[in-house]
């Protein structure tokens, strides 16, 4: 399966919620998907849920919107015939109380806002830089929770509509992100099952970020040692260089073996397609890095 | 760079068979003597930083090393990964009460008699517990309630359960509460706390006052005004607001909230006093703050942000740990290695080119990482770099290795 096909799979629904454990590169994946889809001519909106400027730095020319629960709740109340109450609630700070009184209502109104944007038809693809894995279950489960707790009223209606979106594979899917290491893989598998069981949301391909690109022959320790010895004996490298090259090869091969093992384990544990994303030889990804990663998803149209 | 999709079945790279990885790392480290003195002398170590940087593992390793140096340590973790419990040798996982962890190099307790305590008198102990916010909330309520009935009324309330589970800041609050209790527990002389991943605008140092601020909220003050006719009748000033909330979230939910606040009556003073004491502990000079970050701008930003919060409270950063740093190999730079790779390939020595290419990539990452962590140098001079290990840490040996990088060998 080529890069273009995997992009099609990843953008099969209008709303793509990117979720994963902290540190696995959720924002990077969000930016890469948005960039790749925009190159195909899609009208793309990126949504972030906390007010960190990272995303606009990665994709400076794409539309990025921050949705904060308190604002979304106020807006929701205003749009649903509670304009005067909303004003009053905001003025007295009661909005916090509403959020606390009905567990999950803050998450629900954020999802409601995303649903509203999806329904507006202004975008072909909305990529959401979602919450950390644990919170993803809470957040996406908020609609189910509200339906159980709230018997009537506008909040219940909102929960029903959000759940309709979450359970419609054409409208929404969750793309889980991990790195090929033991703990993140375990947590991803747990999250995947919890999301399917509790929310019933469609899971898209799993993105495995930060894969080391290592020439296959480096896996053969004896071969590496022989090549280095030959080159040293031929005077192409000195003793110190031989040690450095050996250390680099050993480290890269060991990390690679670990990753391959984890990829195999992930494939066994989870019946979802896997999409690999290469590690860039940099510490933090920037806009240029996002462009390079997006190249992997096929043709550039510009 | 191999990027592509595949189905969930079939081998990913048939030629690579994963196997055990042994051998020395291409990096040298002797650990930080300073951090060693911190775990030897302080009574509280707070590990802070964003999620995914290895904070829990760092807390566990610091606790483990302190115990090996003779201290009676308890490590409080928030939602530890299963593998960490395994690595600590806790087959049954962690619970809300401290459980004793056997150190790998610990001699089995002697059975010769109660008087034969030579050799164990100075031995440290390692205990670990997992913070259960709801359980801790129930215990806090029990501390301050006037009678069991009040405890029951509050903990059975759905609104109380929501607060315990999801009120912003509750997890941090419960972590400081656990810290306070364990600090006062005679079984331990060092408490290592793994803080919750910090969230926006939230401050661990302000956590002791979370519930107080919640109770001080003007809406809650309205709700808590004593009513003349008992629980059934509300203060009239609160009525319009309550009706509004009721229309939005439903009357059942509202009734739960009202009941909750009324059940709280009389407990405020106790909460205030406790918050003051916990606050004093957080400001105590024997409480150390260790920032944990990985060498990426976002986690460094978060650590620097936390350093500024500490500064605001007049507390110095004790040390910073940079986890999972790529090894620095040799003395040359990326450009040199890249050039040698090109030269080798031009001379038809493809394999030598590959080797130089791998070294160049590793050097590029290591150099970029050094630049990323630079801002931390402005908030602390005590920076400890822990290299990215060739294997995942999943057993005692892995924790030992990390311990060497953090605080060095015992007696070294």
């Amino acid at each position: 399966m080529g890069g273009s096909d995997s992009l099609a799979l990843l953008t099969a629904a209008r709303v793509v919620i990117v979720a994963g454990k902290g540190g696995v590169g959720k924002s990077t994946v969000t930016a890469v998907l948005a960039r790749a889809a925009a190159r195909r001519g899609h009208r793309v909106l990126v949504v972030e849920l906390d007010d960190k400027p990272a995303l606009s730095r990665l994709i400076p020319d794409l539309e990025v919107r921050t949705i904060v629960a308190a604002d979304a709740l106020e807006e929701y109340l205003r749009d649903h015939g509670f304009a005067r109450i909303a004003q009053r609630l905001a003025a007295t700070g009661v909005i916090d109380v509403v959020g606390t009184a009905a567990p999950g209502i803050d998450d629900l109104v954020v999802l409601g806002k995303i649903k509203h944007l999806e329904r507006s038809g202004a975008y072909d693809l909305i990529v959401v830089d979602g919450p950390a894995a644990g919170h993803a279950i809470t957040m996406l489960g908020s609609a189910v929770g509200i339906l159980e707790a709230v018997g009537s009223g506008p909040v219940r209606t909102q929960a029903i509509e959000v759940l309709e979106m979450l359970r419609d594979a054409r409208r929404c899917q969750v793309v889980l992100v991990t790195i090929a290491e033991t703990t993140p893989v375990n947590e991803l598998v747990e999250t995947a099952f919890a999301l399917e069981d509790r929310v019933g949301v469609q899971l898209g391909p799993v993105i495995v970020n930060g894969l080391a690109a290592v020439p296959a022959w480096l896996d053969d320790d004896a071969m590496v040692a022989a090549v280095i010895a030959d080159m040293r004996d031929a005077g192409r490298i000195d003793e110190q260089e031989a040690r450095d090259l050996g250390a680099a090869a050993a480290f890269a091969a060991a990390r690679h073996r670990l990753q391959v093992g984890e990829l195999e384990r992930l494939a066994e544990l989870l019946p979802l397609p896997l999409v690999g994303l290469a590690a860039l030889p940099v510490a933090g990804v920037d806009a240029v890095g996002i462009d390079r990663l997006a190249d992997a998803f096929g043709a550039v149209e510009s | 760079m191999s990027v592509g999709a595949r189905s969930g079945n079939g081998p990913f790279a048939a030629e690579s068979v994963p196997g055990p990885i042994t051998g020395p790392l291409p990096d040298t480290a002797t650990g930080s003597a300073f951090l060693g003195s911190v775990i030897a002398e302080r009574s509280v170590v707070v590990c802070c930083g964003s999620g995914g940087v290895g904070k829990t593992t760092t807390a566990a390793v610091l606790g483990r090393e302190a115990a090996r140096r003779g201290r009676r340590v308890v490590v409080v973790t928030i939602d530890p990964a299963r593998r960490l419990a395994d690595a600590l040798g806790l087959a049954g996982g962690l619970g809300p009460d401290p459980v004793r962890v056997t150190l790998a190099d610990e001699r089995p307790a002697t059975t010769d008699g109660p008087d034969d305590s030579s050799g164990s008198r100075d031995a440290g102990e390692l205990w670990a517990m997992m913070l259960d916010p709801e359980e801790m909330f129930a215990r806090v309520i029990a501390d301050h309630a006037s009678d069991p009935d009040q405890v029951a009324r509050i903990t059975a309330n759905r609104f109380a359960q929501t607060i315990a589970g999801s009120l912003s800041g509750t997890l941090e609050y419960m972590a400081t509460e656990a810290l306070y209790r364990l600090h006062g527990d005679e079984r331990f002389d060092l408490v290592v706390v793994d803080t919750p991943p910090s969230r926006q605008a939230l401050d661990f140092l302000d956590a002791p006052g979370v519930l107080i601020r919640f109770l001080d909220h003007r809406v809650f003050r309205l709700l808590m005004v004593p009513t003349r006719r008992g629980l059934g009748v509300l203060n009239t000033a609160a009525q319009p607001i309550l009706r509004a909330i009721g229309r939005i979230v439903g009357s059942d939910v509202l009734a739960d909230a009202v009941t909750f606040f009324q059940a709280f009556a009389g407990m405020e003073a106790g909460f205030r006093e406790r918050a003051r004491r916990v606050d004093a502990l957080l400001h105590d000079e024997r409480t150390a703050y260790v920032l944990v970050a990985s060498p990426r701008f976002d986690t460094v930003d978060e650590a620097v942000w936390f350093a500024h919060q500490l500064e605001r409270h007049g507390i110095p950063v004790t040390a910073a740990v940079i986890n999972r740093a790529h090894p620095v190999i040799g003395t040359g730079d990326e450009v040199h290695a890249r050039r040698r790779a090109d030269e080798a390939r031009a001379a038809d020595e493809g394999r030598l080119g590959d080797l130089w290419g791998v070294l160049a990539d590793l050097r590029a990452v290591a150099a970029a990482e050094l630049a990323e962590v630079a801002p931390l140098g402005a908030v602390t001079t005590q920076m400890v770099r822990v290299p990215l290990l060739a294997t995942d840490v999943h057993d005692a040996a892995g924790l030992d290795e990390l311990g060497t990088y953090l605080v060095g060998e015992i007696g070294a």
Side-chain angles (χ1 to χ4, degrees):
Chain A
M1 211 178 277
S4 323
D5 294 345
S6 60
L7 182 65
L9 274 179
L10 287 162
T11 57
R14 278 195 296 275
V15 174
V16 177
I17 298 171
V18 181
K21 180 180 162 67
V24 299
K26 240 174 337 99
S27 298
T28 300
V29 168
T30 301
V32 170
L33 284 182
R35 169 65 64 218
R39 283 183 186 169
R40 295 266 180 102
H42 292 307
R43 293 168 300 162
V44 179
L45 171 69
V46 174
V47 169
E48 62 181 343
L49 303 180
D50 51 15
D51 213 356
K52 288 184 180 166
L55 269 172
S56 11
R57 182 175 133 177
L58 297 179
I59 35 174
D61 56 327
L62 297 184
E63 186 178 351
V64 178
R65 253 198 219 208
T66 303
I67 300 181
V68 177
D71 302 344
L73 179 56
E74 207 186 316
E75 187 183 326
Y76 174 78
L77 294 173
R78 237 184 11 244
D79 293 351
H80 289 76
F82 290 89
R84 288 183 56 193
I85 291 174
Q87 207 169 30
R88 198 191 159 112
L89 292 183
T92 51
V94 181
I95 224 109
D96 312 342
V97 185
V98 176
T100 312
I105 195 170
D106 46 351
D107 288 332
L108 180 72
V109 290
V110 168
L111 290 171
K113 176 75 189 172
I114 292 169
K115 180 209 71 188
H116 183 73
L117 290 165
E118 182 248 351
R119 276 293 183 220
S120 76
Y123 306 100
D124 302 315
L125 182 71
I126 299 174
V127 190
V128 182
D129 187 5
H135 186 208
I137 300 168
T138 317
M139 175 167 191
L140 298 175
S142 63
V144 178
I146 294 274
L147 281 183
E148 285 165 3
V150 180
S152 63
V155 169
R156 184 179 171 82
T157 312
Q158 177 80 306
I160 291 170
E161 290 176 12
V162 163
L163 207 55
E164 275 172 11
M165 176 184 79
L166 292 179
R167 290 184 173 163
D168 184 340
R170 286 161 307 166
R171 295 175 64 194
C172 180
Q173 71 174 350
V174 172
V175 165
L176 294 170
V177 185
T178 187
I179 48 177
E181 290 181 26
T182 310
T183 306
V185 163
N186 288 348
E187 288 188 21
L188 179 128
V189 171
E190 279 172 28
T191 304
F193 283 112
L195 285 177
E196 275 195 335
D197 294 350
R198 287 190 220 162
V199 187
V201 66
Q202 176 75 35
L203 296 177
V206 168
I207 295 193
V208 184
N209 193 22
L211 289 181
V214 176
W217 70 274
L218 288 191
D219 206 42
D220 184 340
D221 296 341
M223 171 88 81
V224 171
V227 168
I228 290 176
D230 283 353
M231 289 295 143
R232 186 194 52 210
D233 295 346
R236 299 282 291 120
I237 52 176
D238 64 25
E239 282 294 339
Q240 182 60 46
E241 288 168 348
R243 276 196 298 275
D244 291 350
L245 292 177
F251 181 85
R255 293 296 305 174
H256 184 245
R257 263 177 226 134
L258 183 73
Q259 291 190 335
V260 170
E262 288 303 323
L263 279 169
E264 285 174 353
R265 208 166 58 85
L266 179 56
E268 269 170 34
L269 291 170
L270 212 57
L272 290 172
L274 303 180
V275 177
L277 212 51
L280 293 175
V282 292
V285 181
D286 57 9
V288 177
I290 294 300
D291 276 344
R292 279 175 62 189
L293 288 170
D295 290 345
F297 287 106
V300 180
E301 285 177 17
S302 59
Chain B
M1 306 245 155
S2 61
V3 178
R6 68 187 185 110
S7 74
N9 298 314
F12 188 76
E15 74 272 26
S16 307
V17 180
I21 299 155
T22 52
L25 284 152
D27 199 16
T28 53
T30 51
S32 158
F34 175 77
L35 201 52
S37 72
V38 168
I39 60 170
E41 293 158 15
R42 301 294 185 100
S43 52
V44 173
V45 174
V46 180
C47 296
C48 15
S50 42
V53 297
K55 200 167 36 171
T56 306
T57 305
T58 302
V61 171
L62 288 178
R64 204 161 175 275
E65 293 299 322
R68 294 175 69 197
R69 285 158 174 77
R71 303 205 67 188
R72 288 173 289 120
V73 189
V74 60
V75 177
V76 187
T77 73
I78 319 283
D79 192 23
R82 176 81 216 174
R83 288 288 276 241
L84 179 66
D86 290 349
L88 285 169
L90 296 166
L94 290 168
D97 289 305
V99 290
R100 180 84 185 267
V101 180
T102 309
L103 297 169
D105 50 359
E106 194 171 39
R107 287 189 186 86
T110 174
T111 52
D112 289 355
D115 291 329
D116 184 10
S117 57
S118 64
S120 66
R121 183 178 296 276
D122 295 319
E125 292 175 11
L126 179 62
W127 299 67
M129 64 167 270
M130 180 171 83
L131 183 69
D132 176 340
E134 288 169 33
E135 170 69 22
M136 186 56 74
F137 186 75
R139 291 183 191 187
V140 171
I141 298 295
D143 277 1
H144 299 289
S146 51
D147 55 67
D149 188 48
Q150 190 176 22
V151 178
R153 268 190 290 131
I154 292 176
T155 52
N157 182 283
R158 215 161 40 159
F159 188 72
Q161 289 157 5
T162 306
I163 287 186
S166 64
L167 172 64
S168 173
T170 307
L171 194 55
E172 287 78 1
Y173 174 40
M174 294 305 150
T176 61
E177 186 68 34
L179 164 60
Y180 176 80
R181 286 156 175 260
L182 294 166
H183 180 68
D185 189 326
E186 292 192 343
R187 285 178 295 175
F188 315 115
D189 59 21
L190 172 64
V191 187
V192 181
V193 199
D194 161 32
T195 59
S198 47
R199 294 178 67 172
Q200 54 207 6
L202 197 70
D203 185 345
F204 185 75
L205 297 164
D206 289 331
V210 160
L211 198 53
I212 293 298
R213 282 193 298 280
F214 194 64
L215 296 176
D216 279 344
H217 199 290
R218 61 186 276 202
V219 178
F220 304 141
R221 301 223 64 88
L222 282 175
L223 290 174
M224 289 172 71
V225 169
T227 53
R228 291 199 184 83
R229 297 196 209 157
L231 297 179
V233 181
L234 282 166
N235 179 294
T236 47
Q239 294 280 15
I241 296 172
L242 290 176
R243 270 204 303 274
I245 300 175
R247 279 179 63 197
I248 297 162
V249 300
S251 49
D252 294 355
V253 174
L254 179 66
D256 283 337
V258 171
T259 309
F260 171 79
F261 285 106
Q262 290 177 340
F264 243 87
M267 285 168 46
E268 268 184 273
F271 274 99
R272 276 181 210 287
E273 173 56 17
R274 173 62 65 89
R276 197 191 57 72
R277 289 193 200 176
V278 175
D279 195 53
L281 177 59
L282 293 181
H283 286 76
D284 194 282
E285 60 179 16
R286 296 198 61 208
T287 298
Y289 290 85
V290 175
L291 306 178
V292 186
S294 56
R296 292 200 327 257
F297 71 89
D298 51 338
T299 78
V300 169
D301 278 357
E302 191 106 2
V304 169
W305 174 82
F306 198 91
H308 290 146
Q309 302 301 310
L310 286 170
E311 190 183 30
R312 193 164 60 77
H313 285 254
I315 302 171
V317 173
T318 313
V321 172
I322 308 296
N323 264 329
R324 304 167 59 79
H326 274 75
V328 175
I329 298 172
T331 51
D333 63 7
E334 179 206 353
V335 177
H336 172 76
R338 204 69 78 192
R339 184 170 52 76
R340 296 289 296 266
D342 292 342
E343 285 170 8
R345 287 184 183 122
D348 248 1
E349 289 163 341
R351 288 194 160 148
L352 183 59
D354 282 351
L355 291 170
W356 279 114
V358 166
L359 182 57
D361 281 353
L362 282 175
R363 281 181 175 165
V365 177
E369 285 180 350
L370 279 177
E372 298 281 329
V373 302
L376 267 177
V379 299
T380 180
T381 54
Q382 297 293 343
M383 229 190 293
V384 188
R385 193 171 152 278
V386 177
L388 176 64
L389 301 184
T391 56
D392 212 20
V393 173
H394 61 269
D395 58 12
L399 294 177
D400 279 348
E401 188 173 0
L402 288 180
T404 308
Y405 285 111
L406 275 173
V407 295
E409 302 278 2
I410 294 175

